Amino acid sequence: MLTSTYYSKFFNKIAKTSKFKHNFNLTNNQKNRYMSTLTNNSYSVKNSINHINPWFITGLIDAEGTFNVGIFNSLTTNIGYRVAARFQITLHVKDLSLLKEMKSFFGDVGNIIIFKNTCSYRIDSLTLLIDKVIPHFDKYPLITQKLADYLLFKEIVLLMKNKEHVTLNGLIKILSLRASLNLGLSDKLKNEFPNIVATTRPLINNKDIPNPEWMAGFTSGDGSFYITIRQNNSLKQGFRVELGFSITQHSRDLYLLEKFVSYFNCGRIKKDNRNPVHYFIVSNIEDISTKIIPFFQKYKILGVKSEDFNDWCKAAELFKGRAQLSKEGLLLFSEIQSSMNSKRLIK
């Protein structure tokens, strides 16, 4: 639990760093009221990761994972081409510990690659794809349109298992499948194989959310917990504070977002008029306090986003305490906001 000593230091700090040009003159009673609001609630700095639920893994991969097949020219094969399959997830380097736990989940196989501010966990051994990756996603299936990519990927991997990728006829089959996987064939491959007919992409029906841990994993990847502070001259304090939870998806997964509305029994769908994406958004403070926060307190966000969630919970408690109605309270929201999401420093 965070102590009153912590909050005394917290108040002293924000008194010096306020974005709002107001005097910071909290009385002792105000300090005690804000401290009691926050210290009566326990927040972990970071959710520990011991044993990741397999549905969490699937949810996170539905959000951030990829199934890819590369086809390259080769001087060492009889047909002049080499086929390589890879399962991969890439996150910000701040989530390196989460990728290490994922590596452990899959039996400590594969490799973690760090490049600049990103880190990737990869499995590209054919044997490991067959023994580790495919069994997992067959038992705990994806539910977004990424499931179609997985099914095409799996079919290619099984062709490779049967050594068909070393024959020209087998390569043609793989190219046909690859043409429907992810973004399709590269321009180079289209020029070299102009007569390839793409396999019909698997149709993914509107699937239900299979497990709450899937939602925790998906949110750990694609979810966002945020605070907005906007100037509003109609309010006495001059600013309006809003809390929000959102998940963004490509429009092809609109039906999935609509299921989130019924799953949480709250929220709405918003369309981006400039990009082919939609948003599931919850901004009603009552829904946030009674539905979203309790859900993710039970089914944990993992990785660095858990820290954003914890800070967001503190902001929700401040909101319930009506801190947003005072100039002093605005400083608290501003300080929390200033270290969340992309502003959070790497520890």
Side-chain angles (χ1 to χ4, degrees):
M1 181 177 292
L2 299 178
T3 65
S4 59
T5 301
Y6 172 87
Y7 284 106
S8 293
K9 294 179 180 177
F10 179 71
F11 284 122
N12 290 335
K13 178 182 178 184
I14 61 177
K16 300 174 183 177
T17 60
S18 171
K19 295 178 182 178
F20 305 102
K21 296 179 180 179
H22 301 303
N23 291 327
F24 190 87
N25 295 311
L26 282 182
T27 66
N28 286 333
N29 286 337
Q30 286 174 315
K31 284 185 180 182
N32 291 334
R33 177 164 59 87
Y34 286 130
M35 287 180 184
S36 63
T37 297
L38 293 170
T39 57
N40 283 337
N41 294 274
S42 177
Y43 302 101
S44 60
V45 174
K46 190 181 236 183
N47 287 332
S48 60
I49 308 171
N50 293 318
H51 301 288
I52 301 181
N53 185 286
W55 278 116
F56 181 97
I57 294 288
T58 295
L60 185 60
I61 297 303
D62 251 327
E64 302 288 356
T66 58
F67 301 90
N68 200 16
V69 175
I71 302 170
F72 312 97
N73 293 104
S74 174
L75 298 175
T76 62
T77 62
N78 292 332
I79 60 174
Y81 289 90
R82 177 175 62 89
V83 181
R86 172 179 289 171
F87 160 64
Q88 177 171 305
I89 177 172
T90 299
L91 301 173
H92 194 281
V93 72
K94 289 184 286 189
D95 265 324
L96 177 60
S97 61
L98 179 55
L99 287 193
K100 288 180 178 178
E101 293 297 333
M102 180 174 286
K103 184 172 184 279
S104 177
F105 175 87
F106 280 106
D108 205 30
V109 301
N111 299 291
I112 293 177
I113 308 297
I114 300 175
F115 180 71
K116 294 184 178 180
N117 64 345
T118 66
C119 52
S120 299
Y121 172 51
R122 303 172 178 175
I123 297 178
D124 46 23
S125 158
L126 183 61
T127 298
L128 293 176
L129 290 172
I130 294 168
D131 292 345
K132 298 288 186 178
V133 176
I134 288 176
H136 171 81
F137 291 106
D138 281 352
K139 186 173 182 179
Y140 303 96
L142 301 150
I143 67 170
T144 68
Q145 293 301 313
K146 199 167 290 180
L147 174 57
D149 292 322
Y150 167 71
L151 295 173
L152 293 165
F153 174 86
K154 176 183 174 181
E155 195 167 346
I156 292 172
V157 167
L158 294 179
L159 287 172
M160 295 173 69
K161 178 184 178 183
N162 294 330
K163 306 293 186 184
E164 294 197 44
H165 62 298
V166 301
T167 69
L168 184 57
N169 286 338
L171 180 64
I172 297 301
K173 292 180 185 178
I174 290 173
L175 284 164
S176 179
L177 292 163
R178 181 64 183 82
S180 294
L181 176 67
N182 300 325
L183 298 178
L185 298 178
S186 66
D187 290 339
K188 181 176 181 295
L189 286 173
K190 288 178 182 177
N191 290 331
E192 294 175 359
F193 297 92
N195 297 320
I196 292 297
V197 177
T199 300
T200 301
R201 186 174 170 85
L203 178 63
I204 305 304
N205 295 320
N206 192 14
K207 291 183 173 292
D208 291 328
I209 294 155
N211 187 284
E213 289 288 353
W214 179 94
M215 181 60 76
F218 193 71
T219 302
S220 294
D222 275 352
S224 177
F225 303 96
Y226 59 89
I227 303 168
T228 59
I229 304 174
R230 297 188 180 93
Q231 188 168 0
N232 188 318
N233 294 329
S234 66
L235 300 176
K236 180 180 178 181
Q237 64 275 19
F239 293 87
R240 178 182 297 278
V241 179
E242 294 179 350
L243 275 61
F245 165 57
S246 70
I247 297 176
T248 306
Q249 286 294 285
H250 192 280
S251 297
R252 62 176 176 262
D253 272 314
L254 172 60
Y255 290 132
L256 177 64
L257 290 184
E258 291 174 343
K259 279 195 171 290
F260 292 171
V261 176
S262 57
Y263 188 78
F264 286 110
N265 193 28
C266 64
R268 66 187 189 279
I269 304 299
K270 180 181 177 181
K271 180 181 179 181
D272 188 322
N273 293 324
R274 293 175 296 178
N275 300 293
V277 297
H278 283 75
Y279 308 91
F280 166 68
I281 299 173
V282 181
S283 56
N284 179 279
I285 190 62
E286 183 69 18
D287 290 333
I288 287 170
S289 298
T290 63
K291 296 173 183 176
I292 303 302
I293 288 177
F295 180 89
F296 290 115
Q297 284 177 333
K298 183 175 182 180
Y299 304 103
K300 304 294 186 183
I301 302 293
L302 298 182
V304 71
K305 196 164 290 180
S306 67
E307 299 182 43
D308 294 325
F309 174 70
N310 290 335
D311 285 346
W312 192 68
C313 288
K314 297 171 195 174
E317 288 299 317
L318 286 171
F319 206 99
K320 287 167 62 179
R322 303 179 72 79
Q324 71 277 13
L325 300 182
S326 70
K327 296 175 181 178
E328 296 82 6
L330 288 171
L331 291 170
L332 302 181
F333 286 107
S334 178
E335 178 65 11
I336 294 173
Q337 181 198 52
S338 69
S339 62
M340 288 179 64
N341 301 315
S342 62
K343 301 172 185 176
R344 187 174 299 281
L345 298 177
I346 300 175
K347 297 180 180 178

